[in-house]
């Protein structure tokens, strides 16, 4: 009889220890939602894929410029997502400003190329390449923001 009582006490003690461990684990913030913002990740991978496919090494400057114009709306949606999640920082703002400047330079160079009736006008080609590079920098900045862990490791006690 005595052996059974000892086993019951041991089982009860183990159950209490397991319950305390579960309660302790439950008081941590490790069940918080994923901070990697999957919607933003989808938008960024789509933008990156579009940029790779449409402005590859075989694309003409005019063709690439046309496709860059089509990336404006998805880029603004991704940037709006960053604002919604309050992820904005100085580097991202600088990357967006660089993109805006590169786009303005491309428009100016495009007008000059059309006036000269020269689709492979060197300043236009350079402006298209600069805008493509600005898009890539902006995408890498947004990806950096998306994947940066929140302050702490996200499992701080509540």
């Amino acid at each position: 009889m005595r052996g059974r009582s000892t086993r019951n006490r041991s089982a009860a003690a183990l159950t209490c220890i397991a319950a305390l461990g579960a309660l302790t684990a439950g008081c941590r913030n490790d069940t918080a939602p994923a901070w990697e913002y999957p919607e933003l990740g989808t938008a960024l991978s789509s933008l990156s894929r579009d940029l790779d496919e449409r402005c590859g090494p075989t694309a003409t400057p005019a063709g690439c410029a046309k496709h860059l114009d089509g990336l404006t709306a998805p880029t603004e949606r991704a940037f709006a997502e960053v604002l919604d999640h309050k992820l904005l920082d100085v580097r991202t703002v600088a990357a967006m400003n660089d993109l805006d400047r590169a786009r303005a330079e491309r428009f100016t160079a495009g007008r000059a190329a059309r006036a000269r009736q020269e689709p492979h006008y060197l300043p236009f080609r350079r402006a298209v390449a600069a805008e493509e590079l600005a898009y890539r920098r902006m995408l890498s900045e947004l990806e950096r923001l998306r994947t940066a862990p929140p302050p702490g490791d996200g499992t701080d006690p509540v």
Side-chain angles (χ1 to χ4, degrees):
M1 201 64 172
R2 195 166 183 207
R4 185 182 255 180
S5 169
T6 305
R7 274 187 258 168
N8 286 343
R9 284 186 198 150
S10 297
L14 285 174
T15 303
C16 286
I17 290 172
L20 285 174
L23 284 174
T24 303
C27 290
R28 296 178 59 88
N29 195 18
D30 56 357
T31 58
W35 47 265
E36 289 188 333
Y37 315 104
E39 307 87 22
L40 180 58
T42 303
L44 294 178
S45 65
S46 175
L47 277 168
S48 181
R49 188 176 46 254
D50 284 348
L51 193 60
D52 289 341
E53 289 173 357
R54 296 177 179 179
C55 286
T58 59
T60 64
C64 184
K66 180 180 174 186
H67 293 298
L68 289 174
D69 288 337
L71 294 179
T72 302
T75 301
E76 288 174 356
R77 279 194 300 272
F79 195 69
E81 186 113 4
V82 167
L83 291 175
D84 287 346
H85 293 297
K86 297 180 176 116
L87 298 174
L88 196 62
D89 69 355
V90 173
R91 290 171 50 184
T92 309
V93 171
M96 286 300 289
N97 288 337
D98 288 344
L99 179 60
D100 289 340
R101 274 192 297 278
R103 186 177 296 132
E105 288 176 24
R106 178 178 59 87
F107 287 145
T108 302
R111 279 194 300 271
R114 283 189 300 278
R116 290 174 170 257
Q117 296 180 347
E118 191 176 329
H120 294 286
Y121 184 53
L122 183 61
F124 179 59
R125 287 192 322 217
R126 286 181 179 159
V128 169
E131 185 178 358
E132 182 183 355
L133 183 61
Y135 262 108
R136 294 192 189 284
R137 273 192 235 127
M138 188 265 316
L139 286 171
S140 70
E141 282 302 317
L142 292 178
E143 186 65 25
R144 178 191 59 81
L145 280 180
R146 184 187 74 82
T147 58
D153 63 354
T155 59
D156 296 334
V158 176

